[in-house]
Amino acid sequence: MASSAIGKLSREEFRRQKDLDAARKAGTAPAALDEEGRPINPHIPQYISQAPWYLDTGAPSLSHQRRPVDDRTSNKLDNWYDRGARAGPAAKKYRKGACENCGAMTHKKQDCLERPRKKGAKFTNKNIQADEIIEEIATGYDAKRDRWNGYDPSEHKRIYEEYEALEAARKKLREEEIDNQTTTDLAAVRKVAKAGKEKKAADPDFGSSDEEDADDDKYADAADAVGQKLDTKTRITVRNLRIREDTAKYLINLDPESAYYDPKTRSMRDAPLKNLAPEDAKFAGENFFRYSGEAPEVQSLQLFAWQAAQHGNDVHLNAGPTQGQFLHEEFKDKKEKIKEVTKDSILAKYGGEQYLETAPKEIVDGQTENYVEYSRAGRIIKGKERAKARSKYPEDVYINNHTSVWGSWYDASAGIWGYGCCHSSVHMSYCAGVVGKEATHASTAHALLASSSTMASDPSGQDGATESQGRIEQNYSKKRVGEGDIALDKDRLAVALSEEKKRKARGGDDDDRFNKKQKGIQISSHDVTEEQLEAYRMNRRNTEDPMANYVDTEDPC
């Protein structure tokens, strides 16, 4: 039963509940309905259909298994309070419970945002403000944390209008001062104009206008290097902007997987182009400048000064740079001496000085100046061949009078390994030389069958020897039947075709291919000949194909 957590039931109620569940599963009783009137499958397990205690509705339901409807209307950014909205006309008389300062009913005196009056609206009954509209807006997670939620972009236009009005007033005042001059001396007019500009530059609230930017004498006193900031008090030049003619660091390589660019500090530590040498690249990264030249030495000197100050020594790199450098050199000399003394004492006590002697780098890395040029086939054209790497096992060790190692010869007909000097396939045997090769060749089945067939046939008949040699090659070679260049005998092919037709007529039994008389004749041939294979291919019917009688019964889409 799909319901909430079932309370304590009596024995009779529990039995009736079990019978009802069994009837619903059997289909004799109607299924339970949820609060929306939809039937509940009685085969759903109880641990799925039973709602937890915090979602218990007291009725059969599966709503706790469904995804709740996600209402994101509260996350809209345009859903915000109406600033400054008032509800209807203001009251004529003070009302009890209203604000004592302005007379509005929506807040108290301590929460009033209006300027405190000398006598509040409670006592004067004058200038009573209308009630504010209080809205209850349910904001979601995103809308509640959005810093620009409820901002009206049109409010920023007022700042532009205010600045434009001030600039227009200044320009008009400057023109009036020039017109009020009684003299026509050009120098006096320039002096008045310059005084007006200096007064305007001293104004901390407003900057210069676009008209003044066009003057040629504006940057006369501050004509510094491009992209540098000059502090007139300390006379320190700081490079805070890049030169505009240079390419930005983040535009050198547009691959997002390239070096990381920090927009806050405008730094790129790694090189944007990894395939270029740092000397050839326009920009090799901040780390290239940081770890090139004398920069690492200065960093090590600064680290030494900090560590020395932590140990109680009076060392300061900026206060006494020469002293710090001398102390650093002295410290490095003492460190090297202590290292040498420690090394000598360990070697004198434990030994092993011979293991510290290393070979030259050229020998260890295998680098050499020998030039070797190879062809496409792998043969050496110029130079001397490099020595082959030797294995850890003993090589070229000959035993028992052998001149070659075991495994230097392979018998393709028998599929065995042996010695190349005597063709012996017995391991650890004694070498017999050329005599052993001849004996091994004469003892093979290939040679024995060839000699027996030659003796049985006519000694003067050359065709019989060739035929027997071909059959032996066919029967004992590892070449598969039907491969390579095939030369078929027409007479044998005709005999094979007749035998194949007889086999088909007998029922196609492969084991009874030959009768008793033929078995004695063909006992020496243990494999199928090329003529028999060709006869089988020619008489094979297409009905033997398993897909020949296949019919697609399904309707095409």
Side-chain angles (χ1 to χ4, degrees):
M1 177 180 179
S3 62
S4 60
I6 303 174
K8 186 68 174 177
L9 299 178
S10 63
R11 182 176 299 178
E12 186 66 24
E13 291 175 349
F14 181 76
R15 185 182 60 80
R16 283 199 298 261
Q17 185 68 33
K18 286 293 184 181
D19 295 342
L20 181 58
D21 292 343
R24 284 174 176 170
K25 291 179 180 179
T28 57
L33 303 177
D34 58 0
E35 64 272 5
E36 298 180 2
R38 292 179 293 189
I40 299 176
N41 190 350
H43 299 282
I44 296 177
Q46 184 180 5
Y47 71 91
I48 295 178
S49 60
Q50 184 175 347
W53 58 269
Y54 51 86
L55 295 177
D56 187 11
T57 59
S61 175
L62 289 176
S63 60
H64 60 278
Q65 294 289 348
R66 298 186 180 93
R67 179 181 296 177
V69 179
D70 190 9
D71 186 13
R72 294 184 177 270
T73 57
S74 60
N75 288 338
K76 293 183 178 179
L77 301 182
D78 55 354
N79 188 14
W80 201 246
Y81 305 98
D82 190 3
R83 299 177 183 270
R86 298 281 180 172
K92 301 297 183 182
K93 295 180 62 177
Y94 178 79
R95 295 161 291 180
K96 185 178 181 180
C99 177
E100 298 179 1
N101 187 40
C102 64
M105 290 290 295
T106 52
H107 61 270
K108 298 298 181 181
K109 180 179 180 181
Q110 59 268 22
D111 299 330
C112 185
L113 299 179
E114 191 178 346
R115 179 183 59 84
R117 303 180 184 179
K118 188 175 182 181
K119 291 184 179 182
K122 179 179 180 181
F123 306 102
T124 59
N125 283 331
K126 294 180 180 178
N127 196 15
I128 296 177
Q129 299 293 328
D131 300 340
E132 296 95 346
I133 297 177
I134 299 178
E135 297 177 306
E136 294 292 338
I137 297 178
T139 57
Y141 182 86
D142 298 335
K144 187 187 298 183
R145 289 161 177 79
D146 185 18
R147 56 182 295 190
W148 295 101
N149 195 1
Y151 175 73
D152 188 9
S154 61
E155 295 180 358
H156 192 65
K157 189 177 180 181
R158 302 176 187 174
I159 300 176
Y160 284 97
E161 294 175 354
E162 181 181 358
Y163 273 86
E164 289 175 358
L166 290 174
E167 290 293 335
R170 280 180 180 158
K171 186 177 180 180
K172 185 177 180 181
L173 181 61
R174 184 179 176 186
E175 291 176 354
E176 290 177 357
E177 288 179 356
I178 295 176
D179 293 340
N180 291 335
Q181 296 293 333
T182 56
T183 177
T184 58
D185 190 5
L186 185 59
V189 175
R190 289 181 177 176
K191 184 177 181 180
V192 173
K194 186 175 181 181
K197 287 195 290 184
E198 290 178 354
K199 181 180 179 182
K200 192 178 299 180
D203 194 349
D205 296 333
F206 305 101
S208 59
S209 62
D210 295 338
E211 290 81 9
E212 294 174 357
D213 293 343
D215 297 338
D216 296 336
D217 57 347
K218 179 175 182 179
Y219 296 105
D221 298 333
D224 299 326
V226 180
Q228 294 185 353
K229 179 180 179 182
L230 179 63
D231 190 355
T232 56
K233 295 182 180 180
T234 58
R235 307 298 296 176
I236 298 175
T237 303
V238 181
R239 175 78 178 271
N240 60 349
L241 291 175
R242 65 177 177 85
I243 302 176
R244 296 303 170 185
E245 289 79 6
D246 295 343
T247 305
K249 301 175 184 177
Y250 52 85
L251 294 179
I252 297 176
N253 190 357
L254 300 179
D255 186 7
E257 300 296 333
S258 61
Y260 173 71
Y261 174 75
D262 187 10
K264 186 174 182 180
T265 58
R266 296 176 182 175
S267 62
M268 181 181 288
R269 296 175 182 174
D270 296 335
L273 300 175
K274 298 287 187 181
N275 54 348
L276 288 181
E279 296 80 7
D280 301 336
K282 294 183 180 179
F283 177 73
E286 305 289 346
N287 290 340
F288 176 72
F289 301 104
R290 186 177 300 175
Y291 299 108
S292 61
E294 298 181 355
E297 298 179 3
V298 175
Q299 291 179 4
S300 61
L301 184 59
Q302 181 67 64
L303 182 62
F304 166 74
W306 288 340
Q307 293 176 352
Q310 289 178 357
H311 289 80
N313 298 322
D314 188 11
V315 179
H316 197 282
L317 185 61
N318 296 332
T322 307
Q323 178 192 7
Q325 183 140 7
F326 277 121
L327 291 175
H328 189 211
E329 295 292 337
E330 184 180 355
F331 169 75
K332 289 194 293 184
D333 294 340
K334 288 183 179 180
K335 185 177 180 181
E336 290 294 332
K337 290 180 181 178
I338 294 174
K339 189 175 180 181
E340 291 293 335
V341 171
T342 306
K343 179 180 176 182
D344 295 340
S345 62
I346 292 175
L347 291 176
K349 186 176 182 180
Y350 299 102
E353 186 176 0
Q354 65 273 15
Y355 299 106
L356 299 179
E357 298 177 358
T358 58
K361 187 177 180 181
E362 292 79 7
I363 299 177
V364 174
D365 297 340
Q367 297 178 358
T368 179
E369 296 295 332
N370 296 334
Y371 175 76
V372 182
E373 184 176 348
Y374 295 89
S375 64
R376 291 186 178 181
R379 298 184 180 89
I380 297 178
I381 301 175
K382 295 180 181 179
K384 186 179 180 182
E385 185 177 3
R386 183 180 298 177
K388 297 181 180 179
R390 300 180 65 88
S391 66
K392 63 179 181 179
Y393 302 102
E395 297 182 4
D396 299 334
V397 177
Y398 308 119
I399 59 175
N400 295 337
N401 201 28
H402 286 285
T403 58
S404 60
V405 296
W406 168 261
S408 58
W409 172 73
Y410 179 74
D411 189 0
S413 61
I416 55 177
W417 293 91
Y419 293 96
C421 55
C422 60
H423 289 186
S424 175
S425 59
V426 180
H427 191 231
M428 303 292 291
S429 63
Y430 193 81
C431 182
V434 182
V435 180
K437 289 184 180 180
E438 296 175 354
T440 303
H441 179 68
S443 63
T444 58
H446 181 280
L448 292 175
L449 288 175
S451 61
S452 61
S453 60
T454 304
M455 292 173 62
S457 62
D458 187 8
S460 61
Q462 188 69 21
D463 297 337
T466 306
E467 180 182 349
S468 61
Q469 183 73 16
R471 182 174 292 276
I472 292 169
E473 287 286 345
Q474 176 181 335
N475 292 338
Y476 288 93
S477 65
K478 289 190 173 292
K479 185 177 71 172
R480 298 181 59 183
V481 178
E483 296 181 355
D485 298 333
I486 302 173
L488 299 177
D489 191 358
K490 294 183 180 182
D491 299 334
R492 289 186 179 181
L493 182 59
V495 174
L497 285 173
S498 62
E499 291 178 357
E500 186 67 22
K501 289 180 181 180
K502 292 178 183 180
R503 189 183 68 84
K504 292 283 185 179
R506 290 195 301 268
D509 191 3
D510 293 337
D511 297 335
D512 194 19
R513 177 172 297 182
F514 308 105
N515 52 19
K516 294 181 179 179
K517 295 180 180 179
Q518 291 175 340
K519 283 184 179 179
I521 301 172
Q522 300 288 342
I523 194 67
S524 61
S525 178
H526 63 84
D527 205 349
V528 181
T529 61
E530 295 288 351
E531 290 79 6
Q532 292 176 352
L533 183 61
E534 184 66 22
Y536 171 74
R537 291 172 180 171
M538 293 172 64
N539 291 333
R540 185 175 57 181
R541 293 178 298 177
N542 293 332
T543 55
E544 296 179 2
D545 189 0
M547 300 297 293
N549 298 327
Y550 175 75
V551 179
D552 193 359
T553 58
E554 297 182 359
D555 296 335
C557 298

